[in-house]
Coordinates of all heavy atoms in Angstrom, one line a residue:
M226 N 1.4 -2.8 -6.3 CA 0.8 -2.0 -7.3 C -0.5 -1.4 -6.8 O -1.1 -1.9 -5.9 CB 0.6 -2.7 -8.6 CG -0.6 -3.6 -8.6 SD -0.8 -4.6 -10.0 CE -0.1 -6.1 -9.4
I227 N -0.8 -0.3 -7.4 CA -2.2 0.3 -7.0 C -3.0 0.1 -8.2 O -2.6 0.4 -9.4 CB -1.9 1.7 -6.7 CG1 -1.1 2.0 -5.4 CG2 -3.3 2.5 -6.5 CD1 -0.8 3.3 -5.0
E228 N -4.2 -0.5 -8.0 CA -5.2 -0.7 -9.1 C -6.5 -0.2 -8.6 O -6.8 -0.2 -7.4 CB -5.3 -2.2 -9.3 CG -4.7 -2.7 -10.5 CD -4.9 -4.2 -10.7 OE1 -5.8 -4.8 -10.1 OE2 -4.1 -4.8 -11.4
V229 N -7.4 0.1 -9.6 CA -8.8 0.4 -9.3 C -9.5 -0.9 -9.7 O -9.4 -1.3 -10.8 CB -9.3 1.6 -10.0 CG1 -10.8 1.9 -9.7 CG2 -8.5 2.9 -9.8
R230 N -10.2 -1.4 -8.6 CA -10.9 -2.7 -8.9 C -12.4 -2.5 -8.5 O -12.8 -1.7 -7.7 CB -10.4 -3.9 -8.0 CG -9.0 -4.3 -8.5 CD -8.7 -5.6 -7.8 NE -7.5 -6.1 -8.4 CZ -6.9 -7.3 -8.0 NH1 -7.4 -8.0 -7.1 NH2 -5.7 -7.7 -8.6
C231 N -13.3 -3.3 -9.2 CA -14.7 -3.2 -8.9 C -15.0 -4.3 -7.8 O -14.8 -5.5 -8.1 CB -15.5 -3.4 -10.1 SG -17.3 -3.2 -9.9
I232 N -15.4 -3.9 -6.7 CA -15.7 -4.8 -5.6 C -17.1 -4.6 -5.2 O -17.6 -3.6 -4.8 CB -14.8 -4.6 -4.3 CG1 -13.3 -4.6 -4.7 CG2 -15.2 -5.6 -3.2 CD1 -12.7 -5.9 -5.1
E233 N -17.9 -5.7 -5.5 CA -19.4 -5.7 -5.2 C -20.0 -4.5 -5.8 O -20.9 -3.8 -5.2 CB -19.6 -5.7 -3.6 CG -19.1 -7.0 -3.0 CD -19.2 -7.1 -1.5 OE1 -19.8 -6.2 -0.9 OE2 -18.7 -8.0 -0.9
G234 N -19.7 -4.2 -7.0 CA -20.3 -3.1 -7.8 C -19.8 -1.7 -7.6 O -20.3 -0.8 -8.2
R235 N -18.8 -1.6 -6.7 CA -18.2 -0.3 -6.5 C -16.7 -0.3 -6.9 O -16.0 -1.3 -6.6 CB -18.3 0.1 -5.0 CG -19.6 0.3 -4.5 CD -19.6 1.0 -3.1 NE -20.9 0.7 -2.5 CZ -21.1 -0.2 -1.6 NH1 -20.2 -0.9 -1.2 NH2 -22.3 -0.3 -1.1
W236 N -16.3 0.7 -7.7 CA -14.9 0.9 -8.0 C -14.1 1.6 -7.0 O -14.6 2.6 -6.4 CB -14.8 1.7 -9.3 CG -15.4 0.9 -10.5 CD1 -16.7 0.9 -11.0 CD2 -14.7 0.0 -11.4 NE1 -16.8 0.1 -12.1 CE2 -15.6 -0.5 -12.3 CE3 -13.3 -0.4 -11.4 CZ2 -15.3 -1.4 -13.3 CZ3 -13.0 -1.3 -12.4 CH2 -14.0 -1.8 -13.3
A237 N -13.0 1.1 -6.6 CA -12.2 1.7 -5.6 C -10.7 1.4 -5.8 O -10.3 0.3 -6.2 CB -12.7 1.2 -4.2
P238 N -9.8 2.4 -5.5 CA -8.4 2.2 -5.5 C -8.0 1.2 -4.4 O -8.5 1.3 -3.3 CB -7.8 3.6 -5.4 CG -8.8 4.3 -4.6 CD -10.2 3.8 -5.0
M239 N -7.1 0.3 -4.8 CA -6.7 -0.7 -3.8 C -5.2 -0.9 -4.0 O -4.7 -0.8 -5.1 CB -7.4 -2.0 -4.0 CG -9.0 -1.9 -4.0 SD -9.8 -3.5 -3.9 CE -9.5 -3.8 -2.2
V240 N -4.6 -1.3 -2.9 CA -3.1 -1.7 -3.0 C -3.2 -3.3 -3.2 O -3.7 -4.0 -2.5 CB -2.3 -1.4 -1.8 CG1 -0.9 -1.9 -1.9 CG2 -2.4 0.0 -1.5
I241 N -2.6 -3.7 -4.3 CA -2.6 -5.1 -4.7 C -1.1 -5.7 -4.6 O -0.2 -5.0 -5.0 CB -3.0 -5.2 -6.3 CG1 -4.4 -4.5 -6.4 CG2 -3.0 -6.7 -6.7 CD1 -5.5 -5.1 -5.7
C242 N -1.1 -6.9 -4.0 CA 0.3 -7.5 -3.8 C 0.9 -7.8 -5.2 O 0.3 -8.4 -6.0 CB 0.1 -8.7 -2.9 SG 1.7 -9.7 -2.7
D243 N 2.1 -7.3 -5.4 CA 2.8 -7.6 -6.6 C 3.3 -9.0 -6.8 O 3.6 -9.5 -7.8 CB 4.1 -6.7 -6.7 CG 3.7 -5.2 -7.0 OD1 3.3 -5.0 -8.2 OD2 3.9 -4.4 -6.1
I244 N 3.1 -9.8 -5.7 CA 3.5 -11.2 -5.8 C 2.4 -12.1 -6.0 O 2.4 -13.0 -7.0 CB 4.3 -11.7 -4.5 CG1 5.5 -10.8 -4.3 CG2 4.6 -13.2 -4.6 CD1 6.6 -10.9 -5.4
C245 N 1.2 -12.0 -5.3 CA 0.1 -12.9 -5.4 C -1.1 -12.3 -6.0 O -2.1 -13.0 -6.2 CB -0.3 -13.5 -4.0 SG -1.1 -12.3 -2.9
N246 N -1.1 -11.0 -6.3 CA -2.2 -10.3 -7.1 C -3.4 -10.2 -6.2 O -4.5 -10.0 -6.8 CB -2.4 -11.0 -8.4 CG -3.0 -10.0 -9.4 OD1 -2.7 -8.8 -9.4 ND2 -3.9 -10.4 -10.2
S247 N -3.3 -10.3 -4.9 CA -4.6 -10.2 -4.1 C -4.4 -8.8 -3.4 O -3.4 -8.4 -3.1 CB -4.6 -11.3 -2.9 OG -4.7 -12.5 -3.6
P248 N -5.6 -8.3 -3.0 CA -5.6 -7.0 -2.3 C -4.9 -7.1 -0.9 O -4.9 -8.2 -0.3 CB -7.0 -6.6 -2.0 CG -7.7 -7.4 -3.1 CD -7.0 -8.7 -3.4
I249 N -4.1 -6.1 -0.5 CA -3.6 -6.0 0.8 C -4.6 -5.2 1.6 O -4.8 -4.0 1.4 CB -2.1 -5.4 0.8 CG1 -1.2 -6.1 -0.1 CG2 -1.7 -5.2 2.3 CD1 0.1 -5.5 -0.3
D250 N -5.2 -5.8 2.6 CA -6.3 -5.1 3.3 C -6.2 -5.6 4.8 O -6.5 -6.7 5.2 CB -7.6 -5.5 2.8 CG -8.8 -4.8 3.5 OD1 -8.6 -4.2 4.5 OD2 -9.9 -5.0 2.9
R251 N -5.6 -4.7 5.6 CA -5.3 -5.1 7.0 C -6.6 -5.2 7.9 O -6.5 -5.6 9.0 CB -4.3 -4.2 7.7 CG -4.8 -2.8 7.9 CD -3.6 -1.9 8.4 NE -3.1 -2.4 9.6 CZ -2.9 -1.7 10.7 NH1 -3.2 -0.5 10.7 NH2 -2.4 -2.2 11.8
R252 N -7.7 -4.8 7.3 CA -9.0 -5.0 8.0 C -9.4 -6.4 8.1 O -10.2 -6.8 8.9 CB -10.1 -4.2 7.4 CG -9.9 -2.6 7.5 CD -10.8 -1.9 6.7 NE -10.7 -2.3 5.3 CZ -11.4 -1.8 4.3 NH1 -12.4 -1.0 4.5 NH2 -11.2 -2.2 3.1
K253 N -8.9 -7.2 7.1 CA -9.2 -8.6 7.2 C -8.3 -9.3 8.3 O -7.3 -8.9 8.5 CB -8.8 -9.3 5.8 CG -9.8 -8.7 4.7 CD -9.4 -9.4 3.4 CE -10.4 -8.9 2.3 NZ -10.1 -9.3 1.0
P254 N -8.9 -10.3 8.8 CA -8.2 -11.0 10.0 C -6.9 -11.7 9.5 O -6.9 -12.2 8.4 CB -9.2 -12.0 10.6 CG -10.2 -12.2 9.5 CD -10.2 -10.9 8.6
G255 N -5.9 -11.8 10.3 CA -4.7 -12.6 10.1 C -3.5 -11.6 9.6 O -3.7 -10.7 9.0
W256 N -2.4 -12.1 10.0 CA -1.1 -11.3 9.7 C -0.8 -11.2 8.3 O -0.2 -10.3 7.8 CB 0.0 -12.0 10.4 CG 0.3 -13.4 10.0 CD1 -0.3 -14.5 10.5 CD2 1.0 -13.9 8.9 NE1 0.1 -15.6 9.9 CE2 0.9 -15.3 8.8 CE3 1.8 -13.1 7.9 CZ2 1.5 -16.0 7.8 CZ3 2.4 -13.9 6.9 CH2 2.3 -15.3 6.9
Q257 N -1.4 -12.2 7.4 CA -1.0 -12.2 6.1 C -1.6 -11.0 5.3 O -1.3 -10.8 4.1 CB -1.4 -13.5 5.4 CG -2.9 -13.7 5.2 CD -3.5 -14.4 6.4 OE1 -3.0 -14.3 7.6 NE2 -4.6 -15.0 6.2
H258 N -2.4 -10.2 5.9 CA -3.0 -9.1 5.3 C -2.2 -7.8 5.6 O -2.7 -6.6 5.1 CB -4.5 -8.9 5.5 CG -5.3 -10.0 4.9 ND1 -5.4 -10.2 3.6 CD2 -5.9 -11.1 5.5 CE1 -6.2 -11.2 3.3 NE2 -6.5 -11.8 4.5
E259 N -1.2 -7.9 6.4 CA -0.3 -6.8 6.6 C 0.6 -6.6 5.4 O 0.9 -7.5 4.7 CB 0.6 -6.9 7.9 CG -0.3 -7.0 9.2 CD -0.8 -5.7 9.6 OE1 -0.2 -4.7 9.2 OE2 -1.8 -5.7 10.3
G260 N 0.9 -5.3 5.2 CA 1.8 -5.1 3.9 C 3.1 -4.4 4.1 O 3.3 -3.7 5.1
L261 N 3.9 -4.5 3.1 CA 5.3 -3.8 3.1 C 5.4 -3.2 1.7 O 4.9 -3.7 0.7 CB 6.4 -4.9 3.3 CG 6.6 -5.4 4.7 CD1 7.7 -6.5 4.5 CD2 7.1 -4.4 5.6
A262 N 6.2 -2.1 1.7 CA 6.7 -1.7 0.4 C 8.2 -2.0 0.4 O 8.9 -1.7 1.3 CB 6.5 -0.2 0.3
L263 N 8.7 -2.5 -0.7 CA 10.1 -3.0 -0.8 C 10.5 -2.3 -2.2 O 9.8 -2.2 -3.2 CB 10.2 -4.5 -1.0 CG 9.6 -5.4 0.0 CD1 9.7 -6.8 -0.5 CD2 10.4 -5.2 1.3
W264 N 11.8 -1.9 -2.2 CA 12.4 -1.4 -3.5 C 13.8 -1.6 -3.5 O 14.5 -1.6 -2.5 CB 12.0 0.1 -3.7 CG 12.6 1.0 -2.6 CD1 13.7 1.6 -2.6 CD2 11.9 1.3 -1.3 NE1 13.9 2.3 -1.4 CE2 12.8 2.2 -0.7 CE3 10.7 1.0 -0.8 CZ2 12.5 2.7 0.6 CZ3 10.4 1.5 0.5 CH2 11.3 2.3 1.1
V265 N 14.3 -1.8 -4.7 CA 15.7 -1.9 -5.0 C 16.2 -0.5 -5.4 O 15.7 0.2 -6.1 CB 16.0 -2.8 -6.2 CG1 17.5 -2.9 -6.6 CG2 15.6 -4.2 -5.8
M266 N 17.3 -0.1 -4.6 CA 17.8 1.2 -4.8 C 18.8 1.2 -5.9 O 19.8 0.4 -5.8 CB 18.4 1.8 -3.5 CG 17.3 2.0 -2.4 SD 18.0 2.7 -0.9 CE 18.2 1.2 0.0
D267 N 18.7 2.0 -6.8 CA 19.6 2.1 -8.0 C 20.4 3.4 -7.8 O 19.9 4.5 -8.1 CB 18.9 2.1 -9.3 CG 19.8 2.2 -10.5 OD1 21.0 2.6 -10.4 OD2 19.3 1.8 -11.6
D268 N 21.6 3.2 -7.3 CA 22.4 4.4 -7.1 C 22.7 5.3 -8.3 O 22.9 6.5 -8.2 CB 23.9 4.1 -6.5 CG 23.6 3.7 -5.0 OD1 22.6 4.0 -4.4 OD2 24.5 2.9 -4.4
S269 N 22.8 4.6 -9.5 CA 23.1 5.4 -10.7 C 21.9 6.4 -11.1 O 22.2 7.4 -11.7 CB 23.4 4.5 -11.9 OG 22.2 3.7 -12.2
T270 N 20.7 6.0 -10.8 CA 19.6 6.9 -11.1 C 19.0 7.5 -9.9 O 18.1 8.4 -10.0 CB 18.5 6.1 -11.8 OG1 18.0 5.0 -10.9 CG2 19.0 5.5 -13.1
E271 N 19.4 7.0 -8.7 CA 18.9 7.5 -7.4 C 17.4 7.4 -7.4 O 16.7 8.3 -7.1 CB 19.4 9.0 -7.2 CG 20.9 9.1 -7.0 CD 21.3 10.5 -6.7 OE1 20.5 11.5 -6.9 OE2 22.4 10.6 -6.1
S272 N 16.9 6.3 -7.8 CA 15.5 5.9 -7.7 C 15.3 4.5 -7.6 O 16.2 3.6 -7.7 CB 14.8 6.5 -9.1 OG 15.3 5.7 -10.1
G273 N 14.0 4.1 -7.4 CA 13.7 2.7 -7.3 C 12.2 2.6 -7.3 O 11.5 3.5 -6.9
S274 N 11.7 1.6 -8.0 CA 10.2 1.4 -8.1 C 9.8 0.4 -7.0 O 10.3 -0.7 -6.9 CB 9.8 0.8 -9.5 OG 10.2 1.7 -10.5
P275 N 8.8 0.8 -6.2 CA 8.5 -0.1 -5.1 C 7.6 -1.3 -5.5 O 6.8 -1.2 -6.5 CB 7.7 0.9 -4.2 CG 7.0 1.8 -5.1 CD 8.1 2.0 -6.2
L276 N 7.8 -2.4 -4.7 CA 6.8 -3.5 -4.8 C 6.0 -3.4 -3.6 O 6.5 -3.0 -2.5 CB 7.6 -4.9 -4.7 CG 8.5 -5.2 -5.9 CD1 9.3 -6.5 -5.6 CD2 7.6 -5.4 -7.2
H277 N 4.7 -3.6 -3.7 CA 3.8 -3.7 -2.6 C 3.5 -5.2 -2.4 O 3.0 -5.8 -3.3 CB 2.5 -2.9 -2.9 CG 2.8 -1.4 -3.1 ND1 2.5 -0.8 -4.3 CD2 3.4 -0.5 -2.3 CE1 2.9 0.5 -4.2 NE2 3.5 0.7 -3.1
V278 N 3.8 -5.6 -1.2 CA 3.6 -7.0 -0.9 C 3.0 -7.3 0.5 O 3.1 -6.5 1.4 CB 5.0 -7.8 -1.0 CG1 5.6 -7.7 -2.4 CG2 6.0 -7.2 0.0
H279 N 2.4 -8.6 0.6 CA 1.9 -9.0 1.9 C 3.2 -9.4 2.7 O 4.2 -9.8 2.1 CB 1.1 -10.2 1.8 CG -0.3 -10.0 1.2 ND1 -0.5 -10.4 -0.1 CD2 -1.4 -9.5 1.7 CE1 -1.8 -10.1 -0.4 NE2 -2.3 -9.5 0.7
K280 N 3.1 -9.2 4.0 CA 4.2 -9.6 4.8 C 4.2 -11.1 4.9 O 3.2 -11.8 4.8 CB 4.0 -9.1 6.3 CG 4.4 -7.7 6.4 CD 4.3 -7.3 7.9 CE 4.7 -5.9 8.3 NZ 4.5 -5.5 9.6
G281 N 5.4 -11.7 5.0 CA 5.5 -13.1 5.3 C 5.9 -13.8 3.9 O 6.8 -13.5 3.3
L282 N 5.0 -14.8 3.4 CA 5.4 -15.6 2.2 C 5.6 -14.6 1.1 O 6.6 -14.9 0.3 CB 4.2 -16.5 1.9 CG 4.1 -17.7 2.9 CD1 2.9 -18.5 2.5 CD2 5.3 -18.6 2.9
C283 N 4.8 -13.6 0.8 CA 5.0 -12.8 -0.4 C 6.2 -11.9 -0.4 O 7.0 -11.9 -1.3 CB 3.7 -11.9 -0.6 SG 2.3 -12.9 -0.9
D284 N 6.6 -11.4 0.8 CA 7.8 -10.5 0.8 C 9.0 -11.4 0.7 O 10.0 -11.0 0.2 CB 7.9 -9.6 2.0 CG 8.2 -10.2 3.3 OD1 9.5 -10.4 3.5 OD2 7.4 -10.4 4.2
R285 N 8.9 -12.7 1.2 CA 10.0 -13.6 1.0 C 10.2 -14.0 -0.4 O 11.3 -14.4 -0.9 CB 10.0 -14.8 2.0 CG 10.2 -14.5 3.4 CD 10.4 -15.7 4.3 NE 9.2 -16.4 4.5 CZ 8.3 -16.2 5.3 NH1 8.4 -15.3 6.2 NH2 7.2 -17.0 5.4
K286 N 9.1 -14.1 -1.2 CA 9.2 -14.5 -2.6 C 9.7 -13.4 -3.5 O 10.0 -13.6 -4.6 CB 7.8 -14.9 -3.1 CG 7.4 -16.3 -2.5 CD 6.0 -16.7 -3.1 CE 5.5 -18.0 -2.6 NZ 4.2 -18.3 -3.0
A287 N 9.6 -12.1 -3.0 CA 10.0 -11.0 -3.8 C 11.5 -11.2 -4.2 O 12.4 -11.5 -3.4 CB 9.9 -9.7 -3.0
D288 N 11.8 -11.1 -5.5 CA 13.1 -11.4 -6.1 C 13.9 -10.1 -6.0 O 13.8 -9.1 -6.7 CB 12.9 -11.8 -7.5 CG 14.3 -12.1 -8.2 OD1 15.3 -12.2 -7.4 OD2 14.3 -12.3 -9.4
T289 N 14.8 -10.2 -5.0 CA 15.6 -9.0 -4.7 C 17.0 -9.2 -5.2 O 17.8 -8.3 -5.3 CB 15.7 -8.7 -3.3 OG1 16.2 -9.8 -2.5 CG2 14.3 -8.3 -2.7
R290 N 17.4 -10.5 -5.5 CA 18.8 -10.8 -6.0 C 19.8 -10.2 -5.2 O 20.8 -9.6 -5.7 CB 18.9 -10.4 -7.5 CG 17.9 -11.2 -8.3 CD 18.1 -10.9 -9.9 NE 17.2 -11.8 -10.6 CZ 16.4 -11.3 -11.5 NH1 16.4 -10.1 -11.9 NH2 15.6 -12.2 -12.1
D291 N 19.7 -10.2 -3.9 CA 20.7 -9.6 -3.0 C 21.0 -8.2 -3.3 O 22.0 -7.7 -2.9 CB 22.0 -10.4 -3.1 CG 21.8 -11.9 -2.6 OD1 20.9 -12.0 -1.7 OD2 22.3 -12.8 -3.3
A292 N 20.0 -7.4 -3.9 CA 20.3 -6.1 -4.1 C 20.1 -5.2 -2.9 O 19.4 -5.7 -1.9 CB 19.3 -5.5 -5.3
L293 N 20.7 -4.1 -2.9 CA 20.4 -3.2 -1.7 C 19.0 -2.7 -1.8 O 18.5 -2.1 -2.8 CB 21.3 -2.0 -1.8 CG 21.2 -0.9 -0.8 CD1 21.6 -1.5 0.6 CD2 22.2 0.3 -1.1
M294 N 18.3 -3.0 -0.6 CA 16.8 -2.7 -0.7 C 16.5 -1.7 0.4 O 17.1 -1.6 1.4 CB 16.1 -4.0 -0.4 CG 16.2 -4.9 -1.6 SD 14.9 -6.1 -1.6 CE 13.5 -5.2 -1.4
G295 N 15.4 -1.0 0.1 CA 14.7 -0.2 1.1 C 13.4 -0.9 1.4 O 12.9 -1.6 0.6
S296 N 12.9 -0.6 2.6 CA 11.5 -1.2 2.9 C 10.9 -0.3 4.0 O 11.6 0.4 4.7 CB 11.6 -2.6 3.4 OG 12.2 -2.7 4.6
E297 N 9.6 -0.3 4.0 CA 8.9 0.4 5.0 C 7.5 -0.3 5.1 O 7.0 -0.9 4.2 CB 8.7 1.9 4.9 CG 8.1 2.4 3.7 CD 8.3 3.9 3.5 OE1 8.8 4.5 4.3 OE2 8.0 4.3 2.3
E298 N 6.9 -0.1 6.3 CA 5.5 -0.6 6.5 C 4.6 0.1 5.5 O 4.8 1.2 5.1 CB 5.0 -0.2 7.9 CG 5.8 -1.0 9.0 CD 5.4 -2.4 9.2 OE1 4.3 -2.8 8.8 OE2 6.4 -3.1 9.6
L299 N 3.7 -0.7 5.0 CA 2.7 -0.1 3.9 C 2.1 1.1 4.3 O 2.0 2.1 3.6 CB 1.8 -1.2 3.5 CG 0.8 -0.8 2.3 CD1 1.7 -0.5 1.1 CD2 -0.2 -1.9 2.0
G300 N 1.6 1.2 5.6 CA 0.9 2.4 6.0 C 1.8 3.7 6.0 O 1.4 4.8 5.6
V301 N 3.0 3.5 6.4 CA 4.1 4.5 6.4 C 4.3 5.0 5.0 O 4.4 6.2 4.7 CB 5.3 4.2 7.1 CG1 6.4 5.2 7.0 CG2 5.0 3.8 8.6
H302 N 4.5 4.0 4.0 CA 4.8 4.2 2.7 C 3.6 5.1 2.1 O 3.8 6.1 1.4 CB 4.9 2.9 1.9 CG 5.2 2.9 0.5 ND1 6.4 3.4 0.1 CD2 4.4 2.6 -0.5 CE1 6.3 3.3 -1.3 NE2 5.1 2.9 -1.6
L303 N 2.4 4.6 2.3 CA 1.2 5.4 1.8 C 1.2 6.9 2.4 O 0.8 7.8 1.6 CB -0.1 4.6 2.1 CG -0.2 3.3 1.4 CD1 -1.4 2.6 1.8 CD2 -0.1 3.4 -0.1
F304 N 1.6 7.0 3.6 CA 1.6 8.4 4.1 C 2.6 9.2 3.5 O 2.5 10.4 3.1 CB 1.8 8.3 5.7 CG 1.8 9.7 6.3 CD1 0.6 10.3 6.5 CD2 3.0 10.4 6.5 CE1 0.6 11.7 7.0 CE2 3.0 11.6 7.1 CZ 1.7 12.3 7.2
H305 N 3.9 8.5 3.2 CA 4.9 9.2 2.5 C 4.4 9.7 1.1 O 4.7 10.8 0.7 CB 6.2 8.4 2.4 CG 7.0 8.4 3.6 ND1 7.9 7.4 3.8 CD2 7.1 9.2 4.6 CE1 8.5 7.6 5.0 NE2 8.0 8.7 5.5
L306 N 3.7 8.9 0.4 CA 3.2 9.2 -0.9 C 2.3 10.4 -0.8 O 2.3 11.4 -1.6 CB 2.4 8.1 -1.6 CG 3.1 6.9 -2.1 CD1 2.2 5.8 -2.5 CD2 4.1 7.3 -3.2
F307 N 1.4 10.4 0.1 CA 0.4 11.5 0.4 C 1.2 12.8 0.7 O 0.9 13.8 0.0 CB -0.4 11.1 1.6 CG -1.5 12.0 2.0 CD1 -2.7 12.1 1.3 CD2 -1.4 12.8 3.2 CE1 -3.7 13.0 1.7 CE2 -2.4 13.6 3.6 CZ -3.6 13.6 2.8
Y308 N 2.2 12.7 1.6 CA 3.0 13.8 1.9 C 3.8 14.4 0.8 O 3.9 15.6 0.5 CB 3.9 13.5 3.1 CG 4.8 14.6 3.5 CD1 4.3 15.7 4.4 CD2 6.1 14.8 3.1 CE1 5.1 16.7 4.7 CE2 6.9 15.8 3.5 CZ 6.4 16.8 4.3 OH 7.2 17.9 4.7
N309 N 4.5 13.5 0.1 CA 5.3 13.8 -1.1 C 4.6 14.3 -2.3 O 5.1 14.9 -3.2 CB 6.3 12.8 -1.4 CG 7.4 12.4 -0.4 OD1 7.7 13.4 0.4 ND2 7.9 11.2 -0.4
A310 N 3.3 14.1 -2.3 CA 2.4 14.7 -3.3 C 1.9 16.0 -2.9 O 1.2 16.7 -3.7 CB 1.2 13.8 -3.6
G311 N 2.4 16.5 -1.8 CA 2.1 17.9 -1.3 C 0.8 18.0 -0.5 O 0.3 19.1 -0.2
Y312 N 0.3 16.8 0.1 CA -0.9 16.9 0.9 C -0.5 16.8 2.4 O 0.5 16.3 2.7 CB -1.8 15.7 0.5 CG -2.4 15.8 -0.9 CD1 -1.8 15.2 -1.9 CD2 -3.5 16.6 -1.1 CE1 -2.3 15.3 -3.3 CE2 -4.1 16.7 -2.3 CZ -3.5 16.1 -3.4 OH -4.0 16.2 -4.6
S313 N -1.4 17.3 3.1 CA -1.3 17.1 4.6 C -2.7 16.9 5.1 O -3.7 16.9 4.4 CB -0.7 18.3 5.2 OG -1.6 19.4 5.3
V314 N -2.8 16.6 6.4 CA -4.2 16.4 7.0 C -5.1 17.6 6.8 O -6.3 17.4 6.6 CB -4.0 16.0 8.5 CG1 -5.3 15.9 9.1 CG2 -3.2 14.7 8.7
K315 N -4.5 18.8 6.8 CA -5.4 20.0 6.6 C -6.1 20.0 5.2 O -7.0 20.7 5.0 CB -4.6 21.3 6.8 CG -3.6 21.6 5.8 CD -3.0 23.0 6.1 CE -1.9 23.4 5.3 NZ -1.7 22.8 4.0
D316 N -5.5 19.2 4.2 CA -6.1 19.1 2.9 C -7.3 18.3 2.8 O -8.0 18.1 1.8 CB -5.0 18.7 1.9 CG -4.0 19.8 1.7 OD1 -4.2 20.8 1.5 OD2 -2.8 19.3 1.8
V317 N -7.5 17.5 3.9 CA -8.6 16.6 4.0 C -9.5 17.1 5.2 O -9.5 16.4 6.3 CB -8.3 15.1 4.1 CG1 -9.5 14.3 4.0 CG2 -7.2 14.8 3.1
P318 N -10.2 18.3 5.1 CA -10.8 18.8 6.3 C -11.9 18.0 6.9 O -12.2 18.2 8.1 CB -11.4 20.2 5.7 CG -11.5 19.9 4.2 CD -10.5 19.0 3.9
H319 N -12.5 17.1 6.1 CA -13.5 16.2 6.7 C -13.0 14.8 6.8 O -13.7 13.9 6.4 CB -14.8 16.4 5.9 CG -15.3 17.8 5.8 ND1 -15.8 18.5 6.8 CD2 -15.2 18.6 4.7 CE1 -16.1 19.7 6.4 NE2 -15.7 19.8 5.1
L320 N -11.8 14.7 7.2 CA -11.1 13.3 7.3 C -12.0 12.3 8.1 O -12.1 11.2 7.6 CB -9.7 13.4 7.9 CG -8.8 12.2 7.8 CD1 -8.6 11.7 6.4 CD2 -7.5 12.5 8.4
K321 N -12.5 12.7 9.2 CA -13.2 11.8 10.1 C -14.5 11.4 9.4 O -14.8 10.1 9.3 CB -13.6 12.5 11.4 CG -14.5 11.7 12.3 CD -13.8 10.6 13.1 CE -14.7 10.1 14.1 NZ -15.5 8.9 13.7
E322 N -15.2 12.3 8.7 CA -16.5 12.0 8.0 C -16.1 11.0 6.8 O -16.9 10.1 6.5 CB -17.2 13.2 7.5 CG -17.7 14.1 8.6 CD -16.8 15.0 9.2 OE1 -15.5 15.0 9.0 OE2 -17.2 15.9 10.0
L323 N -15.1 11.3 6.1 CA -14.7 10.5 5.0 C -14.3 9.1 5.5 O -14.8 8.1 4.8 CB -13.4 11.1 4.2 CG -12.8 10.4 3.1 CD1 -13.9 10.2 2.0 CD2 -11.6 11.0 2.5
S324 N -13.6 9.0 6.5 CA -13.2 7.7 7.1 C -14.5 6.9 7.5 O -14.6 5.7 7.1 CB -12.3 7.8 8.3 OG -12.0 6.6 8.9
D325 N -15.4 7.6 8.1 CA -16.6 6.9 8.6 C -17.4 6.5 7.4 O -18.0 5.3 7.4 CB -17.5 7.9 9.4 CG -16.9 8.2 10.7 OD1 -16.0 7.4 11.2 OD2 -17.3 9.1 11.4
M326 N -17.5 7.3 6.3 CA -18.2 6.9 5.1 C -17.6 5.7 4.4 O -18.3 4.7 4.0 CB -18.3 8.0 4.1 CG -19.1 7.8 2.8 SD -18.8 9.0 1.6 CE -17.2 8.6 1.0
L327 N -16.3 5.7 4.3 CA -15.7 4.6 3.7 C -15.8 3.3 4.5 O -15.9 2.2 3.9 CB -14.1 4.8 3.5 CG -13.9 5.9 2.4 CD1 -12.4 6.3 2.4 CD2 -14.3 5.5 1.0
Q328 N -15.8 3.4 5.8 CA -16.0 2.2 6.6 C -17.4 1.6 6.5 O -17.7 0.5 6.4 CB -15.7 2.5 8.1 CG -14.2 2.6 8.4 CD -13.9 2.8 9.8 OE1 -14.8 2.9 10.6 NE2 -12.6 3.0 10.1
E329 N -18.4 2.6 6.3 CA -19.8 2.1 6.1 C -20.0 1.4 4.8 O -20.7 0.4 4.7 CB -20.7 3.4 6.1 CG -21.3 3.7 7.4 CD -22.2 4.9 7.3 OE1 -23.0 5.0 6.4 OE2 -22.2 5.7 8.3
I330 N -19.3 1.9 3.8 CA -19.6 1.2 2.4 C -18.6 0.1 2.2 O -18.8 -0.6 1.3 CB -19.5 2.2 1.3 CG1 -18.1 2.8 1.1 CG2 -20.6 3.3 1.4 CD1 -17.9 3.7 -0.1
G331 N -17.6 -0.1 3.2 CA -16.7 -1.3 3.0 C -15.7 -0.9 2.1 O -15.1 -1.7 1.4
Ligands
LIG42 ZN1 0.7 -11.4 -1.5

């Protein structure tokens, strides 16, 4: 899920694991901070709601009930959201400056 959380006095959108309710943040050390998007495909509605989960224990706990699933790396999934909302890199003209600023404030 995507939530806005207050971290050290700053509000920021974060990807939260739907299984353990902890942020998925690959900047933290360890494989357990890598993420996946998983979804059950419903052919009758041609849609599916994604789960955002940590790789490993959390994605194995996701209850899929042997349903037909789709999955992708979290970074690819987030890029698809960005693209499917009509954005491209040219819509963020100061991407490098924005990235540097976000890394500075953590
Ligand atoms: Zn998790």
